[in-house]
């Protein structure tokens, strides 16, 4: 049997848990490498102080706000490619991939210019002190370029995962994550012949790795024998572009709603104090160990569900969704508990500049965050994996609904009311964010159980 057909048959008919693990583990490893790099990046920046530690987290919501719609459109790849693969229509899957690349390039480039223009007024909006503002402006413009390039890398990686070959994306990821980690201390602290660039050095190291990784992945979707993208697949099909926009727009708006919520949340957090920005950065960095595991299982689940839907096997699709939820929530709860128990010594490793006057306050605030917001992460994971069937089926409007509820209906108002209006400060913000995860997770699972996702987008 042809290897590609053998992989397809395994996804369609193999034991659910074993196949899920086989698809998820390479992405888990890839994401763990990225998380390990982010933690190492945090470690090196932690030697500079609170403002340096906060720069990546302050930059992320602003840059992602504009690109979120583009990345959401690319989510149409999950439904179109996986269902076509499940139906044995590989040429249609290739054509869908090519047109998603076209859409992302046409929309992404102009948006990058818009974001660049926006960056200058962000420090004033957040009312940052000169030290925090300088760190932000040294990091954000370079991160913007990297985010633009990583849009293409994301499409390449997604293509291999949805096709059923997640190990390829892993093999490409490893050397560039390692390169990023090696470059970091040299460019941040000026080791050897390199100048001391501090926060800017961290951004440049990441940019170099991102350019190389994106170039490799895009080249491979043309060269890999299983995908074999060709120029003919890029012959513009307006009806297919309309379908991509129709399927991807709700997910794109969902991404925009999510990142805009994080942007407003950043403003709320900044009103508590700059120490809270740093604490939020630290807690998110440590929690990312399990967050990216969640997204890896979500992608594997969506791939299997999409191909099952393409094969008209909705019973198997439901079995995959339920088992994924059970596995991911269990792992996430135990992981969050372990991190909370050892929170203080873990955090002291990353924020290690004894001369920083904010250090003790940041660490104590972060420990509280681990026991409140951190312990709600299992419900966040539940909300993510419960939406996998909706993404796989093309019913992406439910993803938008849950995102609106979690961020705008719950997280932002609860954090503002508890943290600012009622005066509970950082504790109020942590509790508000925890409640948003709890309610959104239960709602997403309830929607999944109602079978509202039973749907095909292919003929």
């Amino acid at each position: 049997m042809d290897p590609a057909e053998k992989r397809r048959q395994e996804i369609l008919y193999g034991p659910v848990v074993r196949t899920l693990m086989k698809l998820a583990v390479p992405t888990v490893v890839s994401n763990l490498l990225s998380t390990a790099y982010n933690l190492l990046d945090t470690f090196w920046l932690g030697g500079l102080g609170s403002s340096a530690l906060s720069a990546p987290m302050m930059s992320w919501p602003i840059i992602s706000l504009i690109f979120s719609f583009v990345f959401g459109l690319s989510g149409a790849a999950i439904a179109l490619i996986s269902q076509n693969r499940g139906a044995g229509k590989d040429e249609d899957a290739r054509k869908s991939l090519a047109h998603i690349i076209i859409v992302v390039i046409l929309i992404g480039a102009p948006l990058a210019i818009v974001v660049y223009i926006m960056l200058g007024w962000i420090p004033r909006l957040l009312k940052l002190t000169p030290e925090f503002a300088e760190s932000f402006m040294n990091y954000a413009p370079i991160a913007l370029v990297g985010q633009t390039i990583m849009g293409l890398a994301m499409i390449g990686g997604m293509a291999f995962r949805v096709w059923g070959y997640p190990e390829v994306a892993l093999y490409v990821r490893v050397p560039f994550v390692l390169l990023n980690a090696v470059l970091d201390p040299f460019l941040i602290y000026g080791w050897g012949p390199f100048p001391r660039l501090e926060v800017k050095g961290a951004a440049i190291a990441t940019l170099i790795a991102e350019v190389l990784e994106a170039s490799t992945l895009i080249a491979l979707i043309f060269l890999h024998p299983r995908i074999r993208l060709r120029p003919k697949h890029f012959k513009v099909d307006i009806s297919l572009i309309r379908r991509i926009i129709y399927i991807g727009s709700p997910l794109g708006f969902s991404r925009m709603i999510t990142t805009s919520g994080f942007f407003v949340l950043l403003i709320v957090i900044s009103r508590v104090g700059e120490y809270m920005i740093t604490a939020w950065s630290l807690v998110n960095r440590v929690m990312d160990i399990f967050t990216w595991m969640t997204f890896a299982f979500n992608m594997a689940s969506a791939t299997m569900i999409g191909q099952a839907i393409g094969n008209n096997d909705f019973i198997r699709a439901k079995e995959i969704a339920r088992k994924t939820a059970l596995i991911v929530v269990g792992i996430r709860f135990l992981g969050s508990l372990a991190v909370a128990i050892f929170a203080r010594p873990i955090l002291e490793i990353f924020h290690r500049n004894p001369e920083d006057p904010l250090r003790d306050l940041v660490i104590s605030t972060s420990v509280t965050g681990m026991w409140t917001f951190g312990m709600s992460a299992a419900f966040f994971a539940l909300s993510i994996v419960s939406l996998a069937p909706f993404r796989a089926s093309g019913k992406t409007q439910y993803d938008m609904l849950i995102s609106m509820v979690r961020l705008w209906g719950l997280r932002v108002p609860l954090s503002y009311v508890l943290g600012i209006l009622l005066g509970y400060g950082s504790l109020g913000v942590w509790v508000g964010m925890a409640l948003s995860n709890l309610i959104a997770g239960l709602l997403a699972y309830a929607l999944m159980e109602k079978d509202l996702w039973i749907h095909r987008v292919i003929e």
Side-chain angles (χ1 to χ4, degrees), residues 8 11-13 16 76-89 162 247 298-321 385-396 448 451-459:
R8 175 176 170 271
I11 292 172
L12 292 176
Y13 305 110
V16 169
I78 297 175
L80 288 169
I81 296 175
S82 65
Q83 289 188 33
N84 277 309
R85 280 280 291 154
K89 300 178 180 179
V162 177
I247 297 170
N298 179 60
M299 175 61 71
S301 177
T303 297
M304 292 178 67
I305 292 169
Q307 294 202 26
I309 291 172
N311 195 41
N312 282 310
D313 191 347
F314 291 99
I315 294 175
R316 178 176 173 85
K318 181 179 287 190
E319 180 187 3
I320 294 165
V385 296
S386 295
L387 292 170
F390 293 97
R391 298 187 191 101
S393 67
K395 290 265 189 174
T396 51
M448 184 191 81
D451 296 344
L452 298 172
W453 49 272
I454 303 296
H455 175 68
R456 280 163 55 101
V457 296
I458 64 171
E459 297 176 358

Side-chain angles (χ1 to χ4, degrees), residues 279 282 343-345 347-349 351-352 358-368:
L282 280 173
R344 183 170 291 276
L347 294 165
E348 287 175 345
I349 293 172
H351 197 334
R352 64 188 198 285
L358 295 178
R359 181 176 184 268
D360 291 341
L361 182 57
V362 166
I363 290 176
S364 62
T365 302
S366 300
V367 171
T368 302

Side-chain angles (χ1 to χ4, degrees), residues 372-389:
T372 50
F373 176 52
M375 289 306 298
S376 73
F379 291 97
F380 169 76
L382 181 63
S383 73
I384 296 299
V385 296
S386 295
L387 292 170

